[in-house]
Amino acid sequence: YPAAYIVLITTLGGGLVATLSALYFPNLFNAHDYVHVLSDSKDERKMDAFPTARSTLLPMLFMSCVTSISGFSLGPEAPMVTAGGLVGVSLARKYLKSNSKSKKRSASVEETLAYAGAAGTLSGFMNVPLAGPIFAMEMTNRGTGVSSMAAKSWNAAMAACFAGMVFVRGGLVPNMGVGGHFTYGAKAAVGALTGREMVLASLTCGVGGAVVGTMFHKTLHFLKSVIYPSPKTSSSSSSTANDKPKKSTVITKKLLVAFAIGLISILYPQTMFWGEGTLQCVVDGQCTPLAATPHAIPAIMTAFARVDPNLPFAGVAAPLQVGMAKFVAIALAAAGGFPGGVIFPLLSNGALLSHALIAAVRPLLPLATSSLVAPLMVMSFMASTLTSITRTPLATVLILALSSSGMTPLSVLLPGVMMASYVSVWVSDRLSSDSFFSYSE
């Protein structure tokens, strides 16, 4: 059974990451720590929580790489942010050693370079100028803006953004093409998009994305409580040591999570990997076959697929099935404690669910409805799904815009996408107090 190779790879990759994280790097600094530390505006010693890049950088990047290439629905974006922040703080500490600065001033320099490092890394490797700095700053604030300290770091973050692009795009990969390549909508639109169509589509997708985000938070917390249940309280002085789970138990649980993700991947191969390489496939409803994407899977390995990954979606059931499978795959990987980011996985998930929504409402639309309503709903649902979870509305819109091809009518789509993005954050805050990141305030 060639399809069993998928389960084998996810389980072996998950086992390697589980073993390394449990035995050698149990408390590795990650994006959640980055957000938790930088969202605290009161603790003057908060930057002491950042470890040195020398002790953390390589193991974090290695385990993130193994997680991604093993087929997990987690990407390299969050590790990029964390890596950049760690390098920035380490450089700040080296600089401060040779200069006499007050402790308060030292913390300010470290925080500024943490934002700058994250912005430069994200911008350079994702080729998203402006979006990189804004994402690195928005993610440390629970609302729709940025903190005062993040705002003070703007100049340094922008300088690092362009420095990162010069280093990566001008030095490491100078021959790689510039610009986005994801196309939203047909080559020739039929009918102009009206204001009423834009507002209705954007509000619907904004609220829909908020519901999906709230479901994700609830599912994630539930899975964490099942996989790693909180220890029972005890008055015994020795209970603290006994409450900590055994390393063998942690490894076994992560192996089971990896195995479950592998089983999902056999039935729904569209859920494999973090989604950037297969994004065009889900954006256009599989009009671009999965086999034609950079993350193509041999046909012999997709024999058990419940929804053919190389045929366009037909009806509501097909995209809904794949979308829910992707949802569970992301939640399992995140709840299991595997390293990786959720930007492209959630964008991919939003695109899949948007096609189910489009198929459901299409019979209700007037015959004169613009053909641009569908791509608007796809892009809006992608944005709202991600922002309801990461709280990065402006950066998400910019990422979608900068990763789009020249054939995408951005001047028509972006106003509605931005509306959906912000509405999603506001509605999700009303629906639940849960959040993906742990904010200090």
Side-chain angles (χ1 to χ4, degrees):
Y1 297 102
Y5 179 75
I6 294 177
V7 177
L8 179 64
I9 290 299
T10 56
T11 306
L12 289 178
L16 176 58
V17 171
T19 303
L20 290 174
S21 61
L23 298 182
Y24 303 103
F25 309 103
N27 299 307
L28 205 60
F29 197 82
N30 56 38
H32 293 271
D33 300 313
Y34 170 92
V35 171
H36 185 77
V37 172
L38 294 182
S39 63
D40 190 345
S41 62
K42 298 178 181 178
D43 187 0
E44 295 184 357
R45 298 183 62 85
K46 65 180 182 180
M47 298 309 295
D48 293 344
F50 270 76
T52 62
R54 180 180 299 178
S55 64
T56 308
L57 198 59
L58 288 180
M60 179 196 66
L61 293 178
F62 176 76
M63 286 195 289
S64 170
C65 180
V66 172
T67 300
S68 297
I69 65 176
S70 298
F72 286 73
S73 290
L74 294 175
E77 311 91 6
M80 287 181 191
V81 171
T82 310
L86 288 170
V87 171
V89 171
S90 294
L91 290 176
R93 289 169 180 169
K94 287 188 176 182
Y95 164 75
L96 292 167
K97 276 186 178 180
S98 59
N99 294 270
S100 56
K101 303 287 184 182
S102 66
K103 186 65 180 176
K104 187 174 182 180
R105 172 62 176 162
S106 298
S108 176
V109 172
E110 289 181 19
E111 186 167 359
T112 296
L113 289 191
Y115 280 117
T121 307
L122 200 59
S123 299
F125 284 96
M126 289 185 63
N127 194 27
V128 285
L130 188 60
I134 294 177
F135 192 93
M137 295 177 180
E138 280 188 324
M139 69 186 295
T140 61
N141 185 39
R142 185 185 175 87
T144 56
V146 298
S147 66
S148 58
M149 189 58 215
K152 292 177 182 178
S153 306
W154 176 254
N155 286 339
M158 284 303 297
C161 161
F162 294 117
M165 293 186 65
V166 169
F167 176 72
V168 177
R169 300 291 165 172
L172 295 182
V173 285
N175 298 320
M176 180 177 289
V178 177
H181 53 277
F182 301 121
T183 301
Y184 298 79
K187 294 181 179 180
V190 178
L193 183 70
T194 66
R196 178 180 295 176
E197 290 171 341
M198 180 196 74
V199 171
L200 290 175
S202 300
L203 291 179
T204 300
C205 292
V207 175
V211 172
V212 173
T214 301
M215 290 173 58
F216 183 83
H217 294 145
K218 299 294 185 182
T219 303
L220 189 62
H221 289 173
F222 170 74
L223 290 174
K224 284 183 176 179
S225 68
V226 172
I227 300 171
Y228 305 113
S230 300
K232 296 180 180 179
T233 56
S234 173
S235 58
S236 172
S237 60
S238 61
S239 62
T240 303
N242 295 329
D243 287 342
K244 193 172 182 180
K246 295 181 180 180
K247 294 179 179 180
S248 59
T249 302
V250 174
I251 294 173
T252 301
K253 288 182 175 181
K254 286 194 173 186
L255 274 171
L256 291 175
V257 170
F259 181 75
I261 292 173
L263 292 179
I264 294 173
S265 300
I266 286 181
L267 299 177
Y268 299 98
Q270 301 95 325
T271 65
M272 291 191 69
F273 305 108
W274 60 97
E276 183 179 5
T278 57
L279 193 62
Q280 185 61 58
C281 174
V282 295
V283 162
D284 59 22
Q286 292 191 174
C287 289
T288 299
L290 182 66
T293 66
H295 290 168
I297 301 172
I300 196 172
M301 294 172 60
T302 62
F304 296 104
R306 301 294 298 272
V307 176
D308 194 323
N310 298 312
L311 293 177
F313 290 135
V316 177
L320 184 61
Q321 285 183 65
V322 182
M324 293 307 297
K326 184 72 172 178
F327 180 97
V328 174
I330 300 170
L332 273 174
F338 290 94
V342 294
I343 295 180
F344 277 102
L346 289 175
L347 290 177
S348 179
N349 191 212
L352 289 164
L353 294 175
S354 72
H355 285 289
L357 178 61
I358 291 169
V361 302
R362 183 174 281 122
L364 306 177
L365 299 177
L367 292 176
T369 300
S370 171
S371 63
L372 291 172
V373 169
L376 171 61
M377 292 182 69
V378 171
M379 189 179 274
S380 295
F381 213 103
M382 291 169 70
S384 61
T385 300
L386 177 60
T387 57
S388 66
I389 295 168
T390 61
R391 304 294 199 266
T392 54
L394 181 55
T396 296
V397 174
L398 290 172
I399 289 173
L400 288 171
L402 292 168
S403 62
S404 299
S405 71
M407 297 170 58
T408 301
L410 290 177
S411 63
V412 178
L413 301 181
L414 284 190
V417 176
M418 191 168 291
M419 182 188 299
S421 186
Y422 277 89
V423 166
S424 175
V425 178
W426 295 329
V427 173
S428 62
D429 273 340
R430 293 285 184 179
L431 292 177
S432 175
S433 60
D434 292 335
S435 61
F436 181 65
F437 295 117
S438 173
Y439 303 93
S440 297
E441 297 180 355

